[in-house]
Amino acid sequence: MFSFIITILPMFVCLFWGIAIIPALCTERKKHHAVLTIFLATVSLLYFGHCIYFNHKNELIPISDSIYSFCNLAVYPLYLCYIKSITTNSKKLWQTVFLHLIPSLFCSICILLTYISMSPSETNIFINVFLYKGSITELSGKSLIMAYLHFICRIVFAIQIPYVVIV
């Protein structure tokens, strides 16, 4: 019970602050409020994926892993867009947000489609062998493709961090 509370608390904190910003967004209609709300919603979904994973809700992992993959790759670019929204008066902010989210969307769609094409036994093997044990040696077929997709996500993430820090 304690571990469940610990894993779900960050999600609710971000969700609370995301909801708390909505009245300011509705009254002031400033871009930075909108970007911050999107950022906090994304972080809440990221922590939802953590909650599913750490509480071993394996039946929900195919859905949450696809969402997690998007959110994990979207958090730093959204943070960058938030900083741009409060420091510049760019008219192309929403184009920038969309361009920064293309890798996140692409990776999460690939992961979702691979999960859909996997059989339940392949999915269980992938979850238990790769996600929980971190091994790739026992994987084959679509579960191996899924592991490679996760490695690609790690590479994209590793490229995003220096880019966001430098910009």
Side-chain angles (χ1 to χ4, degrees), residues 14-122:
C14 294
L15 191 62
F16 169 79
W17 285 112
I19 292 170
I21 292 171
I22 291 175
L25 175 64
C26 292
T27 58
E28 297 176 21
R29 300 200 187 272
K30 294 186 178 177
K31 290 180 190 176
H32 66 273
H33 289 287
V35 176
L36 184 58
T37 303
I38 292 168
F39 172 77
L40 288 170
T42 304
V43 173
S44 297
L45 289 172
L46 180 74
Y47 286 131
F48 171 74
H50 286 171
C51 184
I52 298 296
Y53 175 80
F54 288 117
N55 290 301
H56 296 275
K57 303 293 183 190
N58 291 0
E59 65 278 359
L60 297 176
I61 284 183
I63 296 166
S64 70
D65 192 28
S66 303
I67 295 169
Y68 177 84
S69 298
F70 171 78
C71 294
N72 189 39
L73 296 176
V75 167
Y76 282 101
L78 283 173
Y79 182 68
L80 175 64
C81 291
Y82 172 66
I83 291 173
K84 284 183 177 183
S85 74
I86 60 175
T87 58
T88 64
N89 200 7
S90 174
K91 301 212 185 281
K92 296 183 178 185
L93 178 67
W94 295 114
Q95 293 172 349
T96 305
V97 170
F98 180 73
L99 287 174
H100 281 86
L101 294 181
I102 289 174
S104 309
L105 283 169
F106 180 75
C107 289
S108 65
I109 289 171
C110 288
I111 287 174
L112 177 65
L113 292 176
T114 306
Y115 268 122
I116 289 171
S117 70
M118 292 169 73
S119 68
S121 63
E122 286 176 316

Side-chain angles (χ1 to χ4, degrees), residues 113-139:
L113 292 176
T114 306
Y115 268 122
I116 289 171
S117 70
M118 292 169 73
S119 68
S121 63
E122 286 176 316
T123 303
N124 285 333
I125 290 170
F126 172 75
I127 291 169
N128 292 319
V129 172
F130 184 76
L131 290 183
Y132 285 119
K133 293 181 184 173
S135 175
I136 196 169
T137 57
E138 301 172 36
L139 300 178

